[in-house]
Amino acid sequence: MTHHQPPAILVGDAPGLDFLNSIATPVDTAVDWIADGEGLLHWLGQAGLVPGDVLRDMREQTPPGELDQVADQARNLREWFRGFVRAHKGRPLTAGALAELEPLNRLLERDSRFSRIVAGSEGSELFVRQTMRHWNNPGALLLPVAQSLAQLVSREDFSHVRACEGPSCTLLFADHTRGHARRWCSMAICGNRAKQAAHRQRLKAQRH
């Protein structure tokens, strides 16, 4: 099923919002990119949240049923956080929102990241500090997702978190445009549909 899906839609301008957009209706039928474990691995790879060698090892060493369970947890996390974003988008976050984020903090506490010294790239520092993560179990796949959600909450101005104005579109994005006038998930998709609809409306008005 997952091999025949269209490429992931990464138009949120923030990895945390791209995660929420991992279920969408690109044309007429809803597509869930993380409907099962294999889909979760594909989406994490396309989003660049998990290294390719880690995904390969997870695919080879983890029973599909376990990966499906992690995908189910990812979907639950996605819909919980979607409710938070929809409740707060369009205005700055306030201190009162912190209590609502406790489930995310509990997930972040499971992280097992560490630092190590590695060789720098040619022409740069001799040594650099690199942050790594122990991928001890399939559930660790959720940790970079949790980090992206934490980054969204801590770094993004929720005043500029918006929903696409397309009538049937469910995609969310962070408006980083000058003047913050972005209306569509993509000009090629919903923006173009809106232009076509406006054109048809003008032709109809002219005929009458």
Side-chain angles (χ1 to χ4, degrees):
M1 178 182 69
T2 53
H3 292 288
H4 303 294
Q5 289 179 345
I9 296 178
L10 304 173
V11 298
D13 268 1
L17 294 177
D18 286 332
F19 175 61
L20 297 188
N21 293 339
S22 62
I23 183 170
T25 308
V27 186
D28 298 315
T29 306
V31 177
D32 190 341
W33 278 265
I34 57 175
D36 56 20
E38 184 62 26
L40 175 64
L41 295 179
H42 274 286
W43 186 86
L44 289 170
Q46 291 181 79
L49 291 181
V50 177
D53 59 331
V54 173
L55 295 173
R56 184 186 63 247
D57 291 346
M58 286 286 183
R59 183 177 284 110
E60 293 175 353
Q61 300 171 13
T62 309
E66 284 190 42
L67 289 174
D68 288 345
Q69 290 177 6
V70 177
D72 184 55
Q73 294 170 25
R75 291 192 301 273
N76 290 335
L77 175 64
R78 182 182 65 192
E79 297 317 307
W80 164 77
F81 195 71
R82 185 190 310 283
F84 177 87
V85 171
R86 288 199 173 278
H88 294 282
K89 68 179 176 64
R91 63 184 187 276
L93 288 175
T94 64
L98 182 60
E100 300 174 49
L101 294 169
E102 185 56 29
L104 178 58
N105 277 332
R106 288 201 299 270
L107 180 55
L108 291 167
E109 289 171 3
R110 290 163 42 187
D111 207 342
S112 55
R113 291 196 296 179
F114 62 96
S115 296
R116 69 176 184 178
I117 304 300
V118 299
S121 58
E122 188 174 345
S124 68
E125 299 89 347
L126 179 63
F127 302 126
V128 295
R129 185 175 69 87
Q130 185 179 52
T131 300
M132 309 291 290
R133 176 180 276 116
H134 290 298
W135 302 95
N136 297 324
N137 56 73
L141 293 170
L142 296 179
L143 299 175
V145 174
Q147 290 291 340
S148 75
L149 302 184
Q151 184 177 42
L152 179 73
V153 169
S154 59
R155 297 185 183 177
E156 202 69 54
D157 183 349
F158 262 56
S159 300
H160 304 141
V161 173
R162 304 216 167 101
C164 178
E165 293 184 17
S168 59
C169 188
T170 60
L171 298 179
L172 296 157
F173 58 85
D175 183 2
H176 296 153
T177 62
R178 183 179 299 177
H180 304 292
R182 181 177 171 185
R183 300 174 60 195
W184 317 108
C185 61
S186 166
M187 282 305 300
I189 306 174
C190 288
N192 190 49
R193 289 175 185 168
K195 286 170 61 178
Q196 292 175 348
H199 179 65
R200 289 193 297 269
Q201 191 64 32
R202 285 195 299 269
L203 291 178
K204 183 178 179 181
Q206 289 171 3
R207 286 197 298 268
H208 291 287

